[in-house]
């Protein structure tokens, strides 16, 4: 009971698996690389469940950890900063998805795979640096993140469906597809999966072999888009009506943000004259607000 941690021992190499924490944790929780003179190689799935982590903002996982498969960090709902040690080679599926306060993630230098939905829905995540060690990024790994630019290392071989540049918000008026961010930029290298992914998804690609990276980060929060704002100038006026009429006449094409903002009626499977009429009614004062009906 006087120990800082409860633990079990892996008898094959005498390393430790930490089960629970017996002290009051502060804003920064740093897991030790050794305890009682033995290497800490793993964490129990219950370690953050049984610990009061309500004050924790920063979690530092040491280089000694070799796997995150049993590590459940989601009980640390206040977590803002995550440092993953250099002993980790794979980020598990759904490892940190929908952690709404997570802002900064530092991946270890030896991560080769980022799992499916690993950081899905982390809307406040400021950026992610995908180093040269990473080879495989699974489906939806960063869907729903608000950062608009990413730099992907030169050794990436596979990027899964909607891993970057998408929001997990369904466009009913565009074949029930997720929203593609029209402002997204992928910085990477030609002849890699980064270039292939960008081209297949219509995302701007900067080849770092020939151009400097565009890393001045900007952000888009999907809930900040304004219903009825078709030209994306953050207001609703007659220009939006005109643009929507032009779309209905097949004179212009829309990006996904424009599709979302045009879904202002219950006729959500397509854009029709009803959408135009609804915005006109709003501008004329017949209705007080516009509501988006295409929901994810």
């Amino acid at each position: 009971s006087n120990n800082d941690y409860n633990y079990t021992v892996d008898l094959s190499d005498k390393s430790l698996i930490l089960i629970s924490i017996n002290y009051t944790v502060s804003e920064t929780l740093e897991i030790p690389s050794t305890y009682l003179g033995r290497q800490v190689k793993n964490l129990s799935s219950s370690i953050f469940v049984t610990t009061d982590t309500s004050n924790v903002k920063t979690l530092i996982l040491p280089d000694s950890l070799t796997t995150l498969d049993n590590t459940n960090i989601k009980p640390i709902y206040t977590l803002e900063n995550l440092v993953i040690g250099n002993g980790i080679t794979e980020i598990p599926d759904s490892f940190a998805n929908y952690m709404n306060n997570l802002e900064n993630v530092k991946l270890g230098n030896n991560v080769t795979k980022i799992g499916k939905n690993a950081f899905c829905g982390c809307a406040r995540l400021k950026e992610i640096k995908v180093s040269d060690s990473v080879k495989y990024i699974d489906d939806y790994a960063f869907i729903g993140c608000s950062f608009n630019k990413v730099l992907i290392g030169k050794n990436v071989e596979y990027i899964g469906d909607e891993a970057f540049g998408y929001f997990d918000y369904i466009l009913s008026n565009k074949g029930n597809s997720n929203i593609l961010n029209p402002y997204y930029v992928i910085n990477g290298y030609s002849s890699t999966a980064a270039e292939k992914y960008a081209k297949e998804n219509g995302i701007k690609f900067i080849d770092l072999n020939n151009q400097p990276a565009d890393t001045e980060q900007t952000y888009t929060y999907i809930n900040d888009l304004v219903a009825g704002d078709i030209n994306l100038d953050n207001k609703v006026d007659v220009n939006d009506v005109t643009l929507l009429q032009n779309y209905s006449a097949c004179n212009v094409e829309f990006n996904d943000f424009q599709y979302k903002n045009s879904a202002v009626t219950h006729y959500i499977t397509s854009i029709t004259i009803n959408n135009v009429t609804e915005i006109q009614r709003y501008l004329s004062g017949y209705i007080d607000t516009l509501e988006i009906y295409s929901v994810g």
Side-chain angles (χ1 to χ4, degrees):
S1 61
N2 293 325
N3 293 334
D4 286 339
Y5 301 93
N6 292 327
Y7 58 90
T8 59
V9 179
D10 183 341
L11 295 180
S12 65
D13 59 6
K14 306 299 191 295
S15 65
L16 302 187
I17 302 168
L18 300 186
I19 298 175
S20 60
I21 300 173
N22 298 326
Y23 58 88
T24 301
V25 298
S26 62
E27 286 191 359
T28 298
L29 174 54
E30 183 171 4
I31 301 299
S33 58
T34 61
Y35 184 60
L36 303 178
R38 300 185 182 189
Q39 181 182 1
V40 176
K41 289 183 66 175
N42 204 343
L43 301 177
S44 164
S45 60
S46 64
I47 186 169
F48 301 126
V49 177
T50 58
T51 301
D52 181 3
T53 59
S54 58
N55 294 320
V56 175
K57 293 184 177 180
T58 299
L59 174 64
I60 302 173
L61 302 177
D63 293 345
S64 62
L65 291 186
T66 58
T67 181
L68 296 175
D69 285 345
N70 296 321
T71 305
N72 181 10
I73 66 171
K74 293 175 187 176
I76 314 178
Y77 62 90
T78 54
L79 190 65
E80 297 177 4
N81 309 294
L82 174 63
V83 178
I84 297 174
N86 293 324
I88 298 300
T89 58
E90 293 190 9
I91 308 299
D93 294 352
S94 304
F95 175 66
N97 60 332
Y98 297 105
M99 296 195 70
N100 294 325
N101 293 301
L102 189 61
E103 295 184 359
N104 302 289
V105 173
K106 182 180 180 182
L107 298 176
N109 295 331
N110 296 307
V111 171
T112 60
K113 178 182 178 180
I114 300 174
K116 184 180 295 186
N117 296 304
F119 296 96
C120 164
C122 294
R124 296 188 185 180
L125 188 59
K126 292 181 177 179
E127 64 177 348
I128 195 72
K129 294 180 180 178
V130 181
S131 68
D132 289 343
S133 67
V134 177
K135 295 182 178 180
Y136 190 101
I137 302 170
D138 213 337
D139 301 344
Y140 317 115
F142 296 97
I143 191 173
C145 296
S146 59
F147 55 82
N148 289 336
K149 298 171 185 176
V150 66
L151 193 153
I152 300 177
K154 62 182 64 176
N155 294 315
V156 62
E157 298 174 355
Y158 176 84
I159 299 178
D161 292 343
E162 300 182 357
F164 295 101
Y166 284 85
F167 293 97
D168 50 341
Y169 185 106
I170 296 296
L171 285 170
S172 299
N173 57 5
K174 195 189 175 189
N176 293 319
S177 60
N178 282 319
I179 286 181
L180 174 63
N181 184 347
Y183 306 135
Y184 211 80
V185 177
I186 290 178
N187 298 278
Y189 296 87
S190 59
S191 302
T192 69
E195 181 183 38
K196 180 175 182 287
Y197 177 87
K199 288 182 176 179
E200 289 178 348
N201 290 274
I203 295 173
K204 180 180 179 181
F205 179 73
I206 293 179
D207 183 359
L208 299 180
N209 290 313
N210 303 313
Q211 304 175 61
D214 179 4
T215 56
E216 186 175 349
Q217 195 60 260
T218 57
Y219 305 92
T220 299
Y221 298 95
I222 195 66
N223 291 330
D224 290 344
L225 296 180
V226 179
D229 174 23
I230 310 302
N231 62 0
L232 304 178
D233 63 354
N234 296 314
K235 61 184 179 182
V236 182
D237 56 24
V238 68
N239 294 316
D240 299 300
V241 173
T242 301
L243 185 56
L244 196 53
Q245 289 172 329
N246 281 326
Y247 175 84
S248 298
C250 300
N251 294 327
V252 295
E253 294 183 357
F254 277 2
N255 63 43
D256 284 0
F257 285 1
Q258 292 172 305
Y259 275 109
K260 179 181 187 295
N261 289 354
S262 67
V264 292
T265 75
H266 288 286
Y267 300 92
I268 60 175
T269 57
S270 61
I271 298 173
T272 69
I273 191 63
N274 295 292
N275 303 71
V276 176
T277 301
E278 192 74 355
I279 297 176
Q280 289 174 326
R281 292 177 67 226
Y282 170 74
L283 293 175
S284 300
Y286 287 104
I287 56 176
D288 295 330
T289 60
L290 288 169
E291 181 180 353
I292 291 178
Y293 291 95
S294 181
V295 294

